[in-house]
Amino acid sequence: GGLVPHMGVGGHFTYGAKAAVGALTGMEMVLAGLTCGVGGAVVGTAFHKTLRFLKSAIYPSSSSSSSTTNDKPKKSTVIAKKLLVAFAIGLISVLYPQTMFWGEGTLQCVVDGQCTPLASTPHAIPAIMTTLARVDPGVPFAAAAGGGGGVTAPLQVGMAKFFAIALAAAGGFPGGVIFPLLSNGALLSHALIAAVRPLLPSATSSLVAPLMVMGFMASTLTSITRTPLATVLILALSSSGMTPLSVLLPGVMMASYVSVWVSDRLSSESFFSYSE
């Protein structure tokens, strides 16, 4: 925006409702940071293991350390496998259209739990492409139909996004994982928030939910890439001016470093080890 006079400067992702004001207590910050840190570490470790399993299943010869040039599969076999992986990802996107694209364009939709409808994001898709959606992309997760919809709706979409990213990475498709993983963390954070909300005191700050969203996004990515400071900077610099960063960032930083510490104890490998 600095090079174009009429464009605004700064990020555009808003965490939490516009009315989310106030302050966090130290206890709220620590509990949210620890919970998100451990949760993100578990998700990241599961991603590592899932990716390694899928790669060994799709390309067994290339994943073997003893493979030689003669062991490489035929080009036609590789193409056929990629087509099957692409079909699986396409099927996921038909059932869960929120998983489509690379994440950044639709990030606001998942950050606020679909309070921003998918149709209003830069990657809006025709309504006919969402007719088979298992979770309506135009309805907030909290208002999802069915018992416990506040938990099951984001959990379904989050798991679908998880496997779509893992399949794409294992299949060798081009593209990064940064924003898709942030999107995945945001989805799973809403399931966690809905699960713990009945346990929280009525006087709990309205900023706990935005902290958990940003914290789980950060911890999910850092557990996979082991880049806590860079991840926090990405989230901070991409946030809108309405996001109370001075209140949220300490807890997000805690979640990021807790995630790295826990991840190192769950697995010594990182995403880059499995993506070679």
Side-chain angles (χ1 to χ4, degrees), residues 86-189:
F87 177 80
I89 297 173
L91 180 60
I92 292 174
S93 69
V94 169
L95 299 178
Y96 298 96
Q98 300 93 327
T99 65
M100 281 195 270
F101 311 111
W102 67 311
E104 184 180 10
T106 55
L107 190 59
Q108 183 60 58
C109 175
V110 296
V111 162
D112 60 22
Q114 294 192 168
C115 290
T116 299
L118 181 63
S120 66
T121 63
H123 287 154
I125 56 179
I128 193 172
M129 295 181 65
T130 65
T131 54
L132 298 179
R134 302 294 298 272
V135 177
D136 191 337
V139 177
F141 289 139
V151 177
T152 59
L155 183 61
Q156 286 183 64
V157 182
M159 293 306 298
K161 184 72 172 176
F162 178 96
F163 285 108
I165 301 169
L167 281 168
F173 291 97
V177 297
I178 303 300
F179 277 96
L181 289 172
L182 291 175
S183 177
N184 191 206
L187 288 163
L188 294 175
S189 74

